[in-house]
Amino acid sequence: MSVANRILLIEDDQRLAKSIASFLTNNGFVVKHFINGDSLDTLIDGGCIDLILCDVMLPGTNGFEIARKVRHKFHGPYIFLSALSDQANQLTGFELGADDYISKPVEPELLLARIKACLNRNARSQKQDVITIENLSVDNLNREVKIDDNAISLSRYEFDLLWLLMHHQGQHVSREFLFLNTVGREYDGLDRTVDGRVSRLRKKLEQYNELRCQIKTIWGQGYILSVKQ
């Protein structure tokens, strides 16, 4: 018998939350409901959550701020569910590392399908210990990086950055997301730690002319690992 996935629902609309929780429970999930972002640390630190489904407009700390606070230590799927459906808010959500952004209102069956899709993608990702893009290979289990058969020596921070970029190959990865997931605290808009680490990582990789992928800076957006054209 499979273990039920555990969902943390953060939603201040009690009626909507009750409806969502009831529907998901009837479909085999265990749902914990919070009306705001208070007291989440113990729950998340205990590893008791598989997916977070979070509203954006909440009393006190909003959903974006909650994501900034917990995303560096919660590595499961994070889905925003919000009436704020404009492009700017959706982009903010994805820049914070959201796996999906769902606009309210949403049909229950569609919500269920997108939750399952995120959980399935995450399960496949968790099983993936080695990522290879062109002739660059990163082994997260053994913490090894190779270009063709050449082993590359990286610091712990450089390795973590490269692993995140490999996971998001071909996608813009924001400085804020990288900062949260490698430094472990919210990006203040001024700290250049990530920029320095990316620069050092890029220089080490660029020593190998045969490397067929590259780290590019996307001004105002962050970084992207892409295949050389």
Side-chain angles (χ1 to χ4, degrees), residues 107-118:
E107 292 296 326
E109 293 294 342
L110 181 58
L111 174 62
L112 177 63
R114 290 170 77 161
I115 287 173
K116 286 182 175 179
C118 284

Side-chain angles (χ1 to χ4, degrees), residues 74-134:
F74 174 74
H75 303 294
Y78 198 109
I79 301 176
F80 285 111
L81 177 64
S82 177
L84 298 175
S85 58
D86 59 284
Q87 178 176 296
N89 278 292
Q90 291 189 51
L91 286 173
T92 297
F94 285 116
E95 286 170 0
L96 291 172
D99 295 87
D100 203 349
Y101 192 111
I102 303 173
S103 300
K104 295 179 183 178
V106 59
E107 292 296 326
E109 293 294 342
L110 181 58
L111 174 62
L112 177 63
R114 290 170 77 161
I115 287 173
K116 286 182 175 179
C118 284
L119 287 168
N120 288 337
R121 286 197 300 270
N122 187 66
R124 290 194 297 271
S125 174
Q126 292 299 317
K127 294 177 182 177
Q128 189 176 18
D129 292 321
V130 180
I131 299 177
T132 300
I133 300 172
E134 293 292 325

